[in-house]
Amino acid sequence: MSAGLRGTVSIVGVAESDLGRVAEGTTSLDLAAQAAGRAAADAGIGLHEIDAVFCATSHYAMSGLELAEYLGIRPTYSDSSNIGGASFVSHVLHAAAAITAGLCTTALIAYGSTQLSDGGKLVTASLPNLYETPYGPRYPVTMYALAAARHMYEFGTTREQLAEVAVAARQWATITPNAFRSEPLTIEDVLSARMVSDPLTVADCCLVTDGGGAVILTSTARARDLRRPAVPVLGVGEAHWHRSISEMPSLTRTAAADSGARAFAMAGVSPSDIDVVELYDAFTINVPLFLEDLGFCEKGEGGPFVSGGRIAPGGELPVNTNGGGLSYTHPGMYGIFLLVEATRQLRGEAGERQIPGADVALVHGNGAVLSGQATAVLGTLDAL
Amino acid sequence: MTTDRIEESPAHRYQAGLAEGELRFQRCEHCQAAVFFPRVVCPHCGGTELSWTRSEGTGTVYSTTTTRSRSGDRNVALIDLDEGFRMMCTVRAEAGRDVAIGDRVAAIIGAGTTPETLAFERLAAQ
């Protein structure tokens, strides 16, 4: 049945807010709203044509109420569901269903965060976990370190292979305007950086920045008449199996296997059809894990797969073409930026980092501690 | 009269166990699965009858990391208990040897100088 959603809606506008370190006193809502205004301008529509608001932030539990109020929008459809940094990709699924069901016509997905200005501490509305917090994990890096350690134990993945992910991200960032970190980075730099939680050094960890983003979707029928080339949503799926790392069934297998299979089935494509991959690299281990679970390589082969520059500029499979959460920007919930970058690639407007002839892109969002997973396959109108 | 009111919360029952020197977990009366963290519904079968059991406290390290901070290094591990449940805990440092995946460990309850009342220590190789 879900195959009926294939291509029914399209991304018609994308934008980022100010990134990096924003002006003092700026709120996360200011950034979400700034991005929303820029995305509406990109789409060539008025902000008040938006009748559905999808929002998730770390700062506001009722973020949809906050953002709609700020923008003066009175939505007919409102969704503040939060599965962590994957929320915005899951919102694409929810928006496609709502638009196709006739519950709304024009959906805004938006996010903002001032995590850097706030002092770099992870803002979270979650209560402490009674069965984990007493043992002193640093959320979330300790949890990802446990997954990395287990992957190394089961499959022989090495720290050098994880470092390849950070180096590839940095190489993409050097050709991306506005990247937060663009100075050269070597494997040796990653290995000798300060250890945070074994086996992950600070260079295996995502950035801490401010920033926001916004994506606007409408029916593909309407999208064809709008200002920018339409980017149809060919397939999208979400899945989650756990919230806390203690409850994750296997630390080397994520629910991306389900969300990805659902997105591929709806789109009617397979990993070999994908021209460009944008996936949530909160920590270097994410990239091999997700490439395995999404079917780009066999389980356990992620380490060798990312090595030798395969995912770097000029490599066989372009992954995280803006430098990702490791080098481009990471305000805490990175998922919205995956959609923005994939859209730019499919519109052919990615400048020096453009993948020539990119027709089909995969976006994969991750939330919490390898918990919330959401995958989308986006395309050009030609791929529809 | 309904009888399913929560008279003692799962968290309190668990913490009371530690105070009495026991590591407690639950078994589902319906599917017999070991259940941890403590709760009122079985996540394996949806059963609502969960009984409390004392764990022997022995298990195997499933994964482990040392989390570094200014206040010192700290082991954080996931332990697979022999009864079939997994939990996060700290495995105590041992001079000259890092905690490793696959290590056999045993619970020490109530003897800690650390904030928690539960830790694990490595069992001597047999």
Side-chain angles (χ1 to χ4, degrees):
Chain A
M1 195 177 97
S2 64
L5 287 179
R6 183 185 189 280
T8 55
V9 303
S10 290
I11 293 174
V12 295
V14 295
E16 291 154 338
S17 72
D18 295 346
L19 301 176
R21 185 182 283 279
V22 299
E24 198 178 339
T26 304
T27 67
S28 49
L29 275 180
D30 290 328
L31 297 177
Q34 182 189 42
R38 289 176 177 175
D42 182 56
I45 66 167
L47 255 184
H48 288 191
E49 291 180 57
I50 290 163
D51 59 1
V53 172
F54 298 76
C55 191
T57 74
S58 302
H59 293 76
Y60 300 96
M62 293 178 277
S63 54
L65 293 184
E66 305 275 359
L67 183 63
E69 170 188 86
Y70 188 120
L71 297 172
I73 292 170
R74 296 180 174 187
T76 63
Y77 196 92
S78 183
D79 180 346
S80 306
S81 57
N82 191 334
I83 57 166
S87 300
F88 318 102
V89 184
S90 77
H91 290 164
V92 171
L93 170 64
H94 307 177
I99 292 168
T100 305
L103 300 173
C104 55
T105 66
T106 311
L108 167 69
I109 303 174
Y111 167 71
S113 165
T114 50
Q115 190 174 342
L116 177 60
S117 296
D118 294 345
K121 286 237 167 73
L122 190 73
V123 178
T124 174
S126 295
L127 289 170
N129 180 320
L130 289 174
Y131 306 98
E132 293 189 351
T133 309
Y135 306 109
R138 269 181 73 183
Y139 185 94
V141 61
T142 298
M143 288 69 172
Y144 285 86
L146 288 167
R150 185 72 198 182
H151 203 276
M152 291 166 75
Y153 173 81
E154 285 187 27
F155 306 118
T157 308
T158 65
R159 287 187 57 209
E160 288 76 6
Q161 290 166 346
L162 297 181
E164 290 258 9
V165 173
V167 169
R170 184 60 57 84
Q171 288 172 356
W172 285 112
T174 61
I175 52 172
T176 303
N178 214 18
F180 194 72
R181 298 289 294 274
S182 56
E183 71 278 15
L185 182 75
T186 67
I187 287 175
E188 188 47 43
D189 293 336
V190 179
L191 297 179
S192 61
R194 177 171 56 85
M195 190 61 79
V196 180
S197 194
D198 302 60
L200 303 179
T201 70
V202 66
D204 288 290
C205 302
C206 56
L207 305 167
V208 175
T209 69
D210 299 328
V215 171
I216 294 173
L217 297 107
T218 191
S219 70
T220 298
R222 178 172 172 231
R224 291 175 188 274
D225 299 327
L226 290 178
R227 180 170 166 265
R228 310 290 305 148
V231 173
V233 178
L234 302 178
V236 57
E238 63 180 321
H240 51 82
W241 297 343
H242 70 281
R243 164 66 178 96
S244 52
I245 203 73
S246 314
E247 294 282 307
M248 187 171 179
S250 158
L251 259 58
T252 59
R253 284 164 178 80
T254 75
D258 277 352
S259 65
R262 287 167 192 154
F264 280 125
M266 189 189 294
V269 302
S270 63
S272 60
D273 298 310
I274 303 296
D275 300 314
V276 56
V277 178
E278 310 294 346
L279 40 85
Y280 194 152
D281 55 344
F283 299 90
T284 50
I285 183 62
N286 294 33
V287 172
L289 268 178
F290 295 147
L291 289 171
E292 294 167 5
D293 290 333
L294 294 167
F296 289 92
C297 62
E298 293 296 315
K299 178 50 67 184
E301 291 298 313
F305 186 85
V306 300
S307 297
R310 184 187 262 130
I311 63 171
E316 225 169 283
L317 183 70
V319 174
N320 294 348
T321 49
N322 58 357
L326 289 166
S327 281
Y328 179 63
T329 197
H330 191 279
M333 296 168 72
Y334 177 74
I336 194 86
F337 301 98
L338 303 166
L339 295 164
V340 171
E341 174 64 8
T343 299
R344 287 176 175 162
Q345 288 285 348
L346 292 168
R347 288 173 174 180
E349 57 191 36
E352 197 181 337
R353 67 187 190 284
Q354 177 67 44
I355 307 306
D359 254 342
V360 184
L362 180 132
V363 167
H364 181 75
N366 165 66
V369 289
L370 297 168
S371 316
Q373 304 296 321
T375 313
V377 177
L378 308 176
T380 60
L381 279 174
D382 287 342
L384 187 58
Chain B
M1 293 286 289
T2 57
T3 57
D4 66 343
R5 185 177 186 278
I6 298 170
E7 299 293 349
E8 184 181 17
S9 75
H12 280 193
R13 189 80 182 258
Y14 171 72
Q15 285 157 352
L18 289 181
E20 293 165 24
E22 284 187 7
L23 173 59
R24 290 177 181 164
F25 70 105
Q26 294 169 299
R27 277 217 186 267
C28 174
E29 294 284 334
H30 183 67
C31 75
Q32 301 306 313
V35 174
F36 193 88
F37 58 89
R39 56 194 101 186
V40 299
V41 172
C42 171
H44 303 281
C45 74
T48 54
E49 301 293 323
L50 293 155
S51 60
W52 286 88
T53 307
R54 177 180 169 278
S55 168
E56 291 300 321
T58 52
T60 305
V61 174
Y62 174 70
S63 194
T64 176
T65 181
T66 303
T67 292
R68 320 294 184 98
S69 74
R70 286 185 194 89
S71 55
D73 297 352
R74 186 173 180 80
N75 174 269
V76 180
L78 294 173
I79 315 291
D80 282 341
L81 278 294
D82 293 342
E83 290 93 353
F85 66 97
R86 179 176 298 164
M87 67 182 303
M88 180 178 284
C89 206
T90 299
V91 180
R92 285 190 170 170
E94 210 176 306
R97 189 183 182 286
D98 289 336
V99 179
I101 293 175
D103 280 354
R104 291 288 295 162
V105 292
I108 328 161
I109 302 167
T113 54
T114 44
E116 76 279 5
T117 54
L118 176 67
F120 280 78
E121 65 183 1
R122 206 165 69 86
L123 284 171
Q126 296 296 309

